[in-house]
Amino acid sequence: FLQGLGLEPSWGSDCDTFISFFRFVSDRQTWDIDGQFLLGPAFLVSPVLECNATNVTAYFPSARWYDYYTGVDIKARGQWKVLPAPLEHINLHVRGGYILPWQQPAQNTYYSRKNPLGLIIALDENNEAKGELFWDDGQSIDTVAKDEYIFCEFSASQSHLDVKILKSAYKDHNNLTFREIKIFGTQGLRNVTVKHNGTLSQMSPSVTYDPILRVAVITEIHLILGEAYMVEWDIDIQDEEKIDCYPDEHGVSEANCTARGCVWEESSSLGVPSCYFVTDLYSVSNVQYNSDGATADLSLKSSPYISAFPSTPVDPLRLLVTYHSNEMLQFKIYDPNNNRYEVPVPLNIPLAPSGTSETRLYDVLIKKNPFGIEIRRKSTGTVIWDSQLLGFTFNDMFIRISTRLPSKYLYGFGETEHSSFRRDLNWHTWGMFSRDQPPGYKKNSYGVHPYYMGLEEDGSAHGVLLLNSNAMDVTFQPMPALTYRTTGGILDFYVFLGPTPETVTQQYTEVIGRPVMVPYWSLGFQLCRYGYENDSEISSLYDDMVAAQIPYDVQYSDIDYMERQLDFTLSPKFSGFPDLINRMKDRGMRVILILDPAISGNETEPYPAFTEGVQDDVFIKYPDDGGIVWGKVWPDFPDVVVNNSLDWDSQVEQYRAYAAFPDFFRNSAVQWWKREIGKMYNNTESPEKSLKFDGMWIDMNEPSSFVNGAVPAGCRNATLNHPPYMPHVEDRGVGLSSKTLCMESEQILPDGSRVRHYDVHSLYGWSQTRPTYEAVQEVTGERGIIITRSTFPSSGRWAGHWLGDNTAAWDQLKKSIIGMMEFSLFGISYTGADICGFFEDAEYEMCARWMQLGAFYPFSRNHNGEGNRRQDPVSWDDAFVNISKNVIQTRYTLLPYLYTLMYKANTEGITVVRPLLHEFVSDRQTWDIDGQFLLGPAFLVSPVLECNATNVTAYFPSARWYDYYTGVDIKARGQWKVLPAPLEHINLHVRGGYILPWQQPAQNTYYSRKNPLGLIIALDENNEAKGELFWDDGQSIDTVAKDEYIFCEFSASQSHLDVKILKSAYKDHNNLTFREIKIFGTQGLRNVTVKHNGTLSQMSPSVTYDPILRVAVITEIHLILGEAYMVEWDIDIQDEEKIDCYPDEHGVSEANCTARGCVWEESSSLGVPSCYFVTDLYSVSNVQYNSDGATADLSLKSSPYISAFPSTPVDPLRLLVTYHSNEMLQFKIYDPNNNRYEVPVPLNIPLAPSGTSETRLYDVLIKKNPFGIEIRRKSTGTVIWDSQLLGFTFNDMFIRISTRLPSKYLYGFGETEHSSFRRDLNWHTWGMFSRDQPPGYKKNSYGVHPYYMGLEEDGSAHGVLLLNSNAMDVTFQPMPALTYRTTGGILDFYVFLGPTPETVTQQYTEVIGRPVMVPYWSLGFQLCRYGYENDSEISSLYDDMVAAQIPYDVQYSDIDYMERQLDFTLSPKFSGLPDLINRMKDRGMRVILILDPAISGNETEPYPAFTEGVQDDVFIKYPDDGGIVWGKVWPDFPDVVVNNSLDWDSQVEQYRAYAAFPDFFRNSAVQWWKREIGKMYNNTESPEKSLKFDGMWIDMNEPSSFVNGAVPAGCRNATLNHPPYMPHVEDRGVGLSSKTLCMESEQILPDGSRVRHYDVHSLYGWSQTRPTYEAVQEVTGERGIIITRSTFPSSGRWAGHWLGDNTAAWDQLKKSII
């Protein structure tokens, strides 16, 4: 397994070791975890890191995790768990979904590689797993390049293991076989068979199974390595996997069960079916795939049970899969020989499939035995649909299909009331069949929406629509899986791949139709009740509301206004209603009236609605031109007095008239309906009765009847009314005709087709909605609004929906949120519940809380039922009036924002009421939140939902959140917070990063639309915000289609607001202007200016600022709506934003500070610079963008301070931006007139830029005043680099650039020791300059890596490399931002866009070079120490390890083996080492020896390493052909006895020899080095001294010296050794030559160029690594391994690295993981 991980980085497919978030970046908990780590994607290590601990607290991201030792599923998903950890135990876990190859261990890998192999199969939630195995001889050079290897790919499901061979170009001489397969998380296995290259093998596998651990072990197999196999088995079905074979209405029995060929087994667990499938019914043939989809034929297998299921089997069947687009596909199972009913709802399907196999988000596989369809998300491999489950049935009146789900997170299916937004998958069945059914648990209500959205474990989302309108139910089970059972039609599925919840909804509504664009006034508050006695009651209510100054826009009347509840009539009690309507409308009000579909047929007086309906043949009839199907609803018989003392059923029987139901599918009915509505609006016979409504409320349209089926005789077709399979719907025992029409009733589609009500019942409300919408628009001439009770997919195109006849109860508040969020998924944006409840009397506190909640429903209406106490706002007390008024005024203030959301829902399909998970799906906490909701992306509502509560516990995902009322940042990121919530208060918060338009409220929207506008700017962590405003006249029809609107786009930064006008095709007659701008989360403002269309305005804006709240308010402005403006201001710099102007070595003072033109201001906060920038130094000109990048010229501004910074300014400068690929760009700032040093490390850069502006992941903007570069991720808008900060400096020996960061989550920069993987951004500076420095806090150690990876708030990742090798430091500050300061070279940045942490690392190593492919033995255990006395000590150690049977592969020797620490020599004490090496190697061991670079120059005996080095001119010298630069390291002078009692410095001075340092850049030095290593391996002069090493350990290569600079005279160039800016490195006071060479030392590159050690010092170890790697391979003929101490980007191409000379201390365990 580990060898395979070693291969993958060299191929570029993976990274060796991952901190947990590399695989689980959607889980923010993992972003701070650094006490555990993963090996690859699958193996989790959770060590004990503290003294005296006997347990460990480990985090398990959301996946299946198995204990490595036992295989038991630990049942931890996204949670911390305390694990036992006695001293003898380390906790190891295997991740579900992966297959790990393993091999029996031995003394070392030479022997273990001969042992049998095995596999661990760790099944995931889908009962799948995959894995790989790379195998070669483990030691030869370039086996991958030479194709001399085996590569196996393993994939497993619940019932098989597939071993595929992708490469088999190596024959292992050990004849290895897999002998054992362990399967974790499985049920019991039986009947294991093995197929070898497709042929059944004669093996007789053995199986053992532990039902408690759920682990199966298969043995007695011999799968030859490098050959293909299929291992198959049967499984014991577990409870959660049982598919119900007998869900029928009448109780299941064992006899009924076995008669269907199913198994009877009762379970002790609730909900588990006792009768379940074990065999399948259909076979699959003729599977065909093409570029646009796939097809297959299905036929019933020969079985005695095919007719045992409800109704008649359909055989054969046809499967048609269509790839409609990259994000959406359809699959349809139907009868190819006979037309069956299909839903007549038009969808917006592409005319022809689009996309390609490369660009599609999904793969489809048609599976056999049993039949199933698998849809897999290509990007993650997650299976989002897998119907390869038993039980698929397609009978005439009973169709069943089941699918596995990728997670338990499923949302949707409606309309039913349930207690959580996420559906409970623990054995629940829910019916769907439209019904007049008030909300109740598991009761199928008014509408039908067979659609769900599912989340996958990584947070990706998908949606699934079953377009079927027959009565149906769905069963959820904890597999997780769901089963659809429907009573007719076909299976017609549409799958939407998202991948975000919001894009899923947009894709869904693109197909079913976007939500209707509502009029502005419909967003006002609305009042209604059933039971107004007369029009005077409504009139008084209206007057009271106006007197109380409670904003409201719409007054309703329920059926009370009708005469005897007859549609299109007016009751004498409401004779004044027309005048009242006119009076209210004159004052800006609007009126909505109710209509029910049922039309009385028993009238004795003329009733044109019925007589003309009969004449036009509009009513539903029995088939074969039978008579009208009569029901009973509200209208009473004429001329009767109802005895209300009778029970309901008696009243219906005695007094209710016969009612006919219009067939709204018929063209004649549509015209009749529109005509009747028109006569109601303009009553030409009695004009005084004209009702000038503005919208229509259509109720009872399920259709509802107060009798079952029909009167007088009832229904005629028992099979249709009570079908063979009766779904789990309310009144299941009565049948489908309960409270509605007979199912045999016939309806006629617009094309004349005849359909059964049985099939189209749930479409009745849908069919009524569009004609009503069109009628309202035709008669009013305005946009109008329809509110409908019964809905179906696409109803939202024409109507809103209220959540039905709810109850005045506390639980209904939360359920209303759930209902609205569901209807957001269903594509109906204009929704809300009856505020304060319809049934029963409302209670004061509950109604007050509900008024607060309901004020943020898109459809905000207070409505209650007949006979209950009044609950409108003026029916309580003054306190209630104030509560209502305040919260409704808040709503009205935000109507411009809400109206814009409705526009975007209509044009783009966004959700208006938005679950938190839609915006923060990377935060799993949000997946279960349904007591809060967002309006759009930016406005969070956290209501009180419980009685007697005075606070509310609200969750705040990771963003900036501001209290709406005060504007204060609440300082909650990704956490729960308890908020005060007294009765008069609802908690509202604005999300940072957004701009909300608002308007001063008024009595209704007619008046409020005349009032001044304003903006709330809520700044995010980058001090940015954006917003939009849609504006039209609010009432005209099709203003968007006609281009009669304004669309404004707002964007703000720390110092400006930009108002752009994308559309200005409407002139508002109120001459609206923006008069106030509130800015949340800002520092103080001053000097506000306004530019109008680019010209400075004469306005004199006023500013107030609250420093505690950090809120600024700009007034005295008049920004005309529909015109472009730029509002700019200066800001007061806050502590966290100050860029240090004086980071120099010697203490800053006020005088020094002001001499640089900077500001001196001491802060009480630790770390904040006292001296900071307020002005910039460079101007930007000649900015040019092209298809491959951008350029700009930079020049110093005229300033007295340009020479006040360290060293000489460079002027002018050139910026070059290159778009190398879609995922990677480079920007480089350099001197265009003079060559400066650039890092001579070769990178793998594309020869020419690739990608297009459409496909690139980023946009680049070059900014001015101050100069900066902005890199923005296009998909999210997140700015990942923004160097538009003060302080940019480019001097000869001092270069500085700062950038804002998109979050505080930054990782990388090295090599330094720190206590957490995530870097602390609270004012810390870290130096980078290679140094012989053991790990210590803030001490720059051996290597230099100016590279970091950053996470963005949504979990996207990016990487940034500064290719600069000069001494430098970086400062982190809590803005968040970082500042680079380097002492030379140029600025050469490479940015990698990921977007995952793993892909960032892959992109980075693609550029710098992939990690080296190590030999197999190097993965074995290794032993070393500094201080072995002689070879006998090593020999004894080796023998003891073997005797103890502790596996180990590699033995080292440190410099002890050398004579006087001289490279390439052998100490007499180690004269036996060559023989010992040979003895160990004969037994499979390997040996690694150390070499230091320093070569002694004081030898009295021949020392060829030095003399030949001098001869070949390999050593570093002073410039101008000066002499060797001498240091001192380990070698002593010859012939001296060291006095160890002296202090270290004295010993170095007296005893250490002068040492020369090879210049590994020189070609001569490389050849010399290789030659010396060769002579060490093959000592031709003294063969007995040949040291047959296998790898090399190169140490002290920073380069390290025990003196500062040089001996005897020291360094010669003070400026280079102690530059004008001395970075924050260890021994800062001494200078750069501390413990190393003089900086003026000269080195020579391979091309002959001369460079200063000052520039290339940190490349010394890098330059040594490749020659050493090549030397080892050349002398050994094998792959070998190099371990180097000093590294630089790309060192990993040739070497590994150990973390240096650490300390035996507990803290070092965790730091080693970091």
Side-chain angles (χ1 to χ4, degrees), residues 1176-1190:
D1176 56 325
L1177 301 173
Y1178 282 82
S1179 61
V1180 185
S1181 62
N1182 195 24
V1183 176
Q1184 302 284 331
Y1185 297 94
N1186 59 58
S1187 60
D1188 294 336

Side-chain angles (χ1 to χ4, degrees), residues 901-918:
L901 294 178
M902 299 304 295
Y903 159 77
K904 290 180 72 68
N906 174 252
T907 55
E908 300 174 17
I910 70 160
T911 57
V912 176
V913 172
R914 191 169 298 181
L916 273 67
L917 68 87
H918 275 234

Side-chain angles (χ1 to χ4, degrees), residues 813-814 817 820 849-850 852-857 887 914 916 929-935 938-946 949-957 961-965 970 972 975-991:
L813 278 74
K814 179 179 178 183
I817 299 174
M820 288 192 299
R849 292 301 192 188
W850 210 331
Q852 292 169 343
L853 168 60
F856 301 98
Y857 294 166
V887 75
R914 191 169 298 181
L916 273 67
I929 290 175
D930 49 21
Q932 300 167 258
F933 62 95
L934 288 160
L935 286 176
F939 193 77
L940 179 63
V941 182
S942 304
V944 168
L945 304 174
E946 296 173 350
T950 56
N951 56 46
V952 64
T953 302
Y955 186 72
F956 293 91
W961 294 99
Y962 299 94
D963 181 271
Y964 167 76
Y965 306 100
I970 63 164
Q975 66 192 72
W976 293 93
K977 194 174 179 74
V978 177
L979 306 171
L983 185 58
E984 66 278 4
H985 182 75
I986 180 171
N987 279 281
L988 307 173
H989 293 88
V990 182
R991 179 181 174 190

Side-chain angles (χ1 to χ4, degrees), residues 538-554:
I538 298 176
S539 179
S540 296
L541 171 63
Y542 168 67
D543 292 337
D544 290 346
M545 288 288 288
V546 172
Q549 299 181 346
I550 299 173
Y552 98 116
D553 262 78
V554 184

